[in-house]
Amino acid sequence: MTTTDIDGAVTERVVRNDGFEIAAYEYGDPAAETVVLVHGWPDTHHLWDAVVPLLAERFHVVTYDTRGHGRSTRTDRAADYRLEALASDFFAVADAVSPDRPVHVLAHDWGSIQVWEAVCEPGADARVASFTSVSGPNLDHLGKWVRAKLSRPTPRNLWQPFTQLLSSGYTVFSMTPGLDRIFRVVAQENRWQRIVSIMNDTPAANISLGPTFRRDAIEGLLIYRANILPRMLAPRERRTEVPVQLIVAGRDVAIRPAGYDDAHKWVSRLWRRDVPAGHWMPFSHPELLATATTELIDAIRDGVTPRGLRRAETDGDKGRFEDQLVVITGAGSGIGRETARAFARRGAEIVLSDINLDAAKETAELIVAEGGAAHAYQLDVADEEQVRSHASEVGTVHGVPDILINNAGIGQAGGFFDTPSAEFDRVMRINLGGVVNGCRAFGAAMSARGLGGHIVNVSSMAAYSPQQGFSAYSTSKSAVFMFSDCLRTELAGRGISVHTVCPGVVHTNIVSTTTFSGVSAEEEKRRQARYDELYRRRRYTPDKVAEQIVRAVERDRSIVPITPEARLQLQISRFAPAAFRFVAARVKLT
C-alpha cells in the first residue's frame, strides 16, 4: 500500500457545533470517498499519523480533535463529554467535510464508543456508509452483555464479566474526583510512550503524541465520569443498520474480547477480526487497520468481498478453515498431497508446490475434482531466491497465507564417512534450508499482516532418535525441530503458532526415493524396495498424518509426534536419553 507525506498535504478547518470549535484536518482528494478517523483518550488526531498516509492515496481522509482535546474547544464540565454531545460533534464534522454523501469511519477507543452512539441513532445509515471499530465497544451493548451473563450464573458466565471488571479497574480512578490526580504520574510524554510501547510490543518511536498531551490526559478523564456509570447501570436498547467491522485486540488491557460476543444482536451487518495485539493498534498495526477499512469500503461499494473480510463475517456457520489460504510445499505426493486435500475438504483455498510440477498439478486436479480450490506451482525449496519469488507471486495473486506448511523434504541413509560432503549438504539445504526459506519468505508477510496464523514445519521422529546410518537426515530434521522451537518463541507475541510435526514410520514415496550412500546402484535399489515394503506393512498412510496435522492446527499443539513409536521415542528422549543412545550404538538399521 502506497503512502502520502501528510505534513505537506493537510488542509485545516474549524467545524462549529453547539458552541464548540472542532479542529479538523483533511488529506487526499476531496472528491474521493471520505473516511473520518476518530481518536479516543488520551490522544488527539496525531493518533492516526501512521494510518493517514496509507489511506490518503485513495480516499479523502479527515481526522479531528474531539472536544476538550488538542486544538478543539476545551471544557471542564463533565456534561460536555456525554456521548450524545460527542456524537453530535461527529455528525457536524461529517456533514462539513462530506455534505453530499455518507462517510466511512475508522475509530479507536473512546472515539469508537462515541461513533457507536452516533451510528445507533435513527437514520444514521444515510450518513455513515461503514464503521470500523477498534478497541471501543458500544457501552449499552457491553452493559447488556454483562447483565445477560449474570442472569445465567454459570462459572464461565461469571468469569467473563469478572475479568472485564478487572480490566476496567482503572476507570475507578478516572471517575473519582481527586483520584484522577494519580494519572499525573504517568501523564508525561516519555513515560506514557514507554507504557504504550510495552503494552503493544511496538517501538516507542511509533507512539505519536500531540503537543497538548499532558493536559488532554488529565482533563479528558471527564469522559469516564460522564458516561461509564449511566451506561453500565441503565443500558439502552441500541441497534444500527450501519455495516460494522469490529477489530478486536486479543491483548487489550481495557476491553476483553468476550465483551463483543453479543454485538450481532444489535448490528444488522457485522464483521469481526480478532487480532493478537494490544489496545493501541493505530500505533502498532497501522497497515492492518488501513487494509481492513479499505476492504470493507470496497466490499460495500462493489459487492465483492475479499477473503479476509469473508473470514470475518459473523453470520452463518463457517467451517474452521473456510476462506483461509493454506500454502504447502512438497505437495506433489505423500504427506503434502494428503494434507492439501484435508485442508481443502474443510473449505481452505490451497496454494501447493513441488519440484515436480506435473505432480503438483495432479494434486491440484484431485482437489478441484473434490470441489475445492487449488493452485499448483513448481518450486525448489532449497533455492532461497526462488522461494522469495514464489512468496511474492503468491502474495500478489492469492494473498498472505493463513497457514504455511513446510513439508518438502528428502530421505538419505548411509554411514557418515560413506556420505559425501556434497550429499550431506544437499540434505541440509532441502530439509532444513527449505523450511528456513519458507518461514523467512512467507512468515515475514504473515507477521507484518498482524492477523496471526500458523506455521507447520515437518520434522521427523529421527530428530530425537539418534541411530546409525542416518547422520545427514537426522541432523537436518533435528535442526528443523530446534529451529521451530526458536521461531515459536519469536512469533508467539504476534499470534503466529509454530507446529513441529514429527512423523514416525509412515509409508510414503520418500522411502522408495531415499539415497543410500556407500553402496552400489543395485544395492541401493534393493534397500529402497526392502524398506518400502517394510513401511507398507506398517500400514500408516499419509492421510492419517494429514488428519493429525489438521488437528494440531485446530488445537494449537506445538510438538506433534505422529505414530505410536514417534510418541514413545519422544518420551524416551526426554526421560531416558542414555538408554536410547545405548541401544542405537549397538543396533544398525541400514
Side-chain angles (χ1 to χ4, degrees), residues 303-341:
V304 179
T305 306
R307 180 190 295 107
L309 197 59
R310 291 199 306 269
R311 193 165 56 248
E313 291 174 347
T314 60
D315 57 338
D317 295 325
K318 299 178 74 67
R320 171 65 176 81
F321 300 106
E322 191 171 344
D323 294 321
Q324 295 204 17
L325 183 67
V326 179
V327 170
I328 307 179
T329 66
S333 62
I335 293 173
R337 170 174 288 182
E338 294 306 320
T339 302
R341 296 176 70 187

Side-chain angles (χ1 to χ4, degrees), residues 39-309:
H39 71 82
W41 177 90
D43 303 299
T44 63
H45 72 281
H46 288 288
L47 172 77
W48 304 108
D49 282 356
V51 178
V52 169
L54 301 172
L55 293 172
E57 283 291 325
R58 280 195 54 191
F59 303 105
H60 174 216
V61 181
V62 179
T63 65
Y64 68 93
D65 294 333
T66 61
R67 63 169 63 187
H69 293 76
R71 295 173 59 184
S72 294
T73 303
R74 294 191 171 275
T75 176
D76 58 3
R77 296 177 63 247
D80 290 330
Y81 286 93
R82 287 176 181 160
L83 290 178
E84 310 92 272
L86 295 169
S88 177
D89 288 345
F90 162 75
F91 280 129
V93 171
D95 290 344
V97 300
S98 183
D100 299 324
R101 55 181 175 177
V103 301
H104 300 274
V105 189
L106 169 61
H108 174 258
D109 187 70
W110 275 99
S112 179
I113 293 171
Q114 60 190 270
V115 175
W116 269 113
E117 179 73 14
V119 299
C120 288
E121 288 296 301
D125 55 317
R127 304 168 76 182
V128 180
S130 74
F131 171 31
T132 297
S133 168
V134 186
S135 296
N138 182 302
L139 292 186
D140 293 293
H141 297 170
L142 185 62
K144 284 187 172 291
W145 172 79
V146 171
R147 290 187 169 212
K149 291 293 182 181
L150 296 181
S151 69
R152 292 175 284 112
T154 64
R156 177 183 176 85
N157 285 350
L158 293 175
W159 175 251
Q160 288 181 336
F162 175 70
T163 56
Q164 178 57 61
L165 177 64
L166 293 179
S167 295
S168 302
Y170 73 97
T171 62
V172 173
F173 298 95
S174 306
M175 296 184 291
T176 305
L179 290 182
D180 57 5
R181 295 179 181 274
I182 292 176
F183 280 98
R184 297 183 186 275
V185 177
V186 296
Q188 309 291 328
E189 286 87 343
N190 292 339
R191 190 169 297 167
W192 185 254
Q193 286 175 322
R194 286 197 296 272
I195 292 172
V196 174
S197 171
I198 292 170
M199 290 193 297
N200 290 267
D201 191 25
T202 191
N206 291 346
I207 316 301
S208 298
L209 303 178
T212 58
F213 168 74
R214 295 184 189 182
R215 190 175 178 185
D216 297 335
I218 300 302
E219 297 177 0
L221 290 173
L222 290 173
I223 198 171
Y224 290 89
R225 197 179 306 172
N227 297 292
I228 292 290
L229 290 180
R231 292 291 185 268
M232 298 305 294
L233 296 178
R236 303 163 297 168
E237 186 71 17
R238 302 283 282 168
R239 299 180 180 276
T240 183
E241 296 299 318
V242 174
V244 177
Q245 176 178 211
L246 297 174
I247 310 294
V248 179
R251 299 194 298 271
D252 198 323
V253 297
I255 302 295
R256 304 308 304 145
Y260 300 92
D261 287 352
D262 287 350
H264 65 279
K265 296 179 179 179
W266 302 285
V267 181
S268 60
R269 298 178 64 189
L270 181 69
W271 296 263
R272 171 171 173 164
R273 302 187 197 232
D274 287 270
V275 181
H279 181 76
W280 274 274
M281 278 191 280
F283 295 141
S284 61
H285 292 71
E287 295 87 357
L288 184 154
L289 298 186
T291 298
T293 302
T294 300
E295 287 185 350
L296 181 59
I297 294 172
D298 289 345
I300 291 172
R301 183 190 60 236
D302 303 331
V304 179
T305 306
R307 180 190 295 107
L309 197 59

Side-chain angles (χ1 to χ4, degrees), residues 414-442:
F416 172 66
F417 296 114
D418 293 327
T419 302
S421 59
E423 178 67 9
F424 200 105
D425 291 344
R426 185 176 78 94
V427 174
M428 295 298 291
R429 286 198 312 273
I430 296 172
N431 289 0
L432 172 62
V435 172
V436 172
N437 292 338
C439 288
R440 178 175 285 119
F442 286 103

Side-chain angles (χ1 to χ4, degrees), residues 251 276 487-497:
R251 299 194 298 271
L487 189 64
R488 186 177 301 114
T489 63
E490 290 192 26
L491 296 181
R494 304 175 193 181
I496 299 177
S497 298

